[in-house]
Amino acid sequence: MNKQKTQVVIVGGGPNGIAAAHYMGLYGIECVVLEVAREILPYPRAVGMDDEALRVLQGVGVAEPAVQDMISDVPLRYFNARGVCFAEVKPTTAEYGWPMRNIFMQQLLEATLREELRKRSTVELRLGHEMLELSQDESGVTLVVKNPEGEVYELEAQYVIGADGGRSGVRKQLGIELVGLTHPRKWVVVDAANDTLDAPYTALHADPQRPFVCIYLPYRQRRWEFMLMEHEDEEQMCEEANIRGLIRSHIGDAVDQLEIIRIRAYTHNSRVAERFVQGRVALIGDAAHITPPWAGQGLNSGLRDVVNVCWKVAAIVKGHASAAILASYDVERRGHATDLIALADNMGAILGMTSPLLAGVRDWVFQAVDTVENLRSHLLEFKFKPKATLVKGLIHREWPDVRDDDVVGQLFIQPFVEDGHGKRTRFDDVLGDFYAIVGFRTNPKAGLSDDEIRHWEGMGARFIQVNRSRSGSGRHQPLVTPGVISVEDADNKLEGWFARARAHIAIVRPDRFVAAISSADRAAETLGKLARQLQGH
């Protein structure tokens, strides 16, 4: 049998797998992606992307081409049985550098990700290659793979990332169970082209007679989702004539112009894998956790997995970190992924009420909420979405408990900054690909020895000083600190962040979580503790 070797294998070439491959390429890791399908499915599956997920794509330089096929700042509206909007989610903030609600079509995103992947010289995408077996020992992982010609070969790797979906073969090879529930009601998903409906938003119609969803998509396409009732026959309801009849009851004769692309009934699951990591193998996306669609967080949650696990795998392979840090992926991601599933379950329960009495109570409650300004703002800005917070893992707090105003373990903000030439850029593009030691009006190297600086810079860390806007001597004479990257706080956002943090220095991880904060005189001690964490101590 033909035997091959690489550093990392990613099983699954969907958006999560290809995003992970981009990160491997970013770090210069030799990587093979195995994808059994030879073509991208020609219709949308995931259709919503949030700001955090776009930030993940930004990290590998593919956010800008991806947003060319997206519609940003799309509202989410809830309608009652009378067709009256009783709640709206319309966030306007961009704390992490991107709009919070973006509508796209998965097949277009996948095409963009694969096209951009051609630029990654260390990554190979193998289409039509199926993983048959997986085994591992202390030295590595061995996969038995069948190519499109039916020939079988062995592929050895140091680490494997399973991105092969809800029916993950990787997960099954590891004997890991998905724990959770299957929802009793199925939904029929209908994708249609040539849409002319003037409804530029995502609409969740909480009609107890038949709850349904109507999603505005790019390029004159629209998605409809209808709940199947207990007495209905799935096969019969999926017939095009019946589907057109359901749509006609809402938009009239405009349905005759629609081109139906696909009709499919789905069973919704809420499940989480018993383990996200086993030995040298990590599970991401639907292979690790499956969520109903109501919060629009399935793909988004998977991309959070990608950015968390990939920098760790790369650091291990490059010898910058101990293999022990891979376990932190499960510790850091499990809680938030589970919280998002609970959010989707709750939103689905609100939408899917079929009791007119309970639906009436729900509508009354939301109408009352709309009159309370703080609650209304909470809903509008999508603040009810659980915030990713690292309680344990590769972080360091000087205090034992997590505080309400704690910034450690939270995502760092991403405002615009200006470089020495006056160019505005998103701050992540300054932070770089590994750790960043950021000082506000403080030289982050000031309290460090030459050896400590060489240690961190040798791993790819950047030292950055942020100054106030226009703090130099003139337009062409910005304030510059020798030996560090100097930028200006263009929109005065970072000064407020550091004031709330009550710190002068923030250590930001590659996935943009705040690993620690410090004063200048304690920076060496804090960085030393983080360095020992990376070595598994």
Side-chain angles (χ1 to χ4, degrees), residues 61-74:
V62 295
E64 291 292 351
V67 298
Q68 299 304 308
D69 289 316
M70 294 185 185
I71 309 171
S72 297
D73 291 319
V74 178

Side-chain angles (χ1 to χ4, degrees), residues 115-131:
E115 180 63 30
E116 294 293 320
L117 193 65
R118 298 175 187 270
K119 302 174 184 178
R120 306 290 184 188
S121 60
T122 63
V123 178
E124 180 185 359
L125 173 58
R126 297 183 182 180
L127 300 176
H129 288 245
E130 180 183 5
M131 185 208 72

Side-chain angles (χ1 to χ4, degrees), residues 19-299:
H22 272 285
Y23 273 93
M24 292 299 105
L26 175 73
Y27 290 114
I29 303 298
E30 293 179 5
C31 174
V32 172
V33 183
L34 303 174
E35 170 53 49
V36 66
R38 302 193 191 192
E39 302 289 341
I40 296 171
L41 290 175
Y43 50 78
R45 285 167 287 167
V47 295
M49 182 167 290
D50 65 17
D51 50 345
E52 295 174 44
L54 269 176
R55 192 178 188 182
V56 174
L57 298 184
Q58 177 193 349
V60 286
V62 295
E64 291 292 351
V67 298
Q68 299 304 308
D69 289 316
M70 294 185 185
I71 309 171
S72 297
D73 291 319
V74 178
L76 169 66
R77 296 179 181 176
Y78 280 90
F79 292 83
N80 62 20
R82 293 176 288 115
V84 176
C85 179
F86 66 85
E88 182 179 48
V89 176
K90 191 179 180 180
T92 57
T93 58
E95 184 178 17
Y96 300 134
W98 298 92
M100 291 181 68
R101 280 186 49 79
N102 306 276
I103 299 298
F104 72 106
M105 294 190 288
Q106 183 172 324
Q107 75 274 27
L108 301 182
L109 174 66
E110 288 193 52
T112 297
L113 290 176
R114 290 189 183 187
E115 180 63 30
E116 294 293 320
L117 193 65
R118 298 175 187 270
K119 302 174 184 178
R120 306 290 184 188
S121 60
T122 63
V123 178
E124 180 185 359
L125 173 58
R126 297 183 182 180
L127 300 176
H129 288 245
E130 180 183 5
M131 185 208 72
L132 302 177
E133 298 176 20
L134 179 150
S135 60
Q136 61 176 316
D137 56 29
E138 293 181 357
S139 62
V141 188
T142 301
L143 302 95
V144 178
V145 184
K146 182 172 68 175
N147 69 18
E149 290 73 39
E151 300 168 340
V152 177
Y153 63 95
E154 281 189 358
L155 183 58
E156 295 180 1
Q158 295 178 41
Y159 290 89
V160 168
I161 296 174
D164 49 343
R167 296 185 176 90
S168 172
V170 173
R171 190 185 64 239
K172 291 174 183 176
Q173 287 283 318
L174 297 174
I176 297 175
E177 296 292 329
L178 274 178
V179 179
L181 58 90
T182 297
H183 296 269
R185 294 288 181 87
K186 286 189 174 183
W187 287 70
V188 177
V189 177
V190 183
D191 290 309
N194 200 31
D195 173 68
T196 59
L197 183 62
D198 185 19
Y201 46 79
T202 297
L204 305 184
H205 288 265
D207 184 348
Q209 296 299 313
R210 186 189 299 276
F212 73 97
V213 178
C214 181
I215 305 175
Y216 171 64
L217 297 177
Y219 308 126
R220 301 180 65 199
Q221 295 196 26
R222 187 171 294 271
R223 171 170 292 175
W224 300 80
E225 302 180 22
F226 299 97
M227 178 187 277
L228 282 180
M229 311 310 284
E230 289 180 348
H231 63 278
E232 291 177 330
D233 179 76
E234 175 185 329
E235 185 175 346
Q236 183 180 17
M237 289 302 299
C238 287
E239 293 177 1
E240 184 170 331
N242 290 327
I243 290 299
R244 286 187 179 273
L246 288 176
I247 298 175
R248 184 181 301 276
S249 66
H250 299 292
I251 67 172
D253 292 342
V255 69
D256 296 331
Q257 302 178 33
L258 293 180
E259 174 192 348
I260 303 298
I261 298 172
R262 70 152 181 164
I263 303 169
R264 182 173 176 180
Y266 279 92
T267 299
H268 294 151
N269 293 282
S270 301
R271 297 182 179 273
V272 181
E274 293 175 314
R275 299 177 297 283
F276 292 0
V277 176
Q278 185 161 311
R280 292 172 170 266
V281 183
L283 303 174
I284 65 172
D286 285 356
H289 41 77
I290 303 176
T291 179
W294 310 124
Q297 290 297 303
L299 176 60

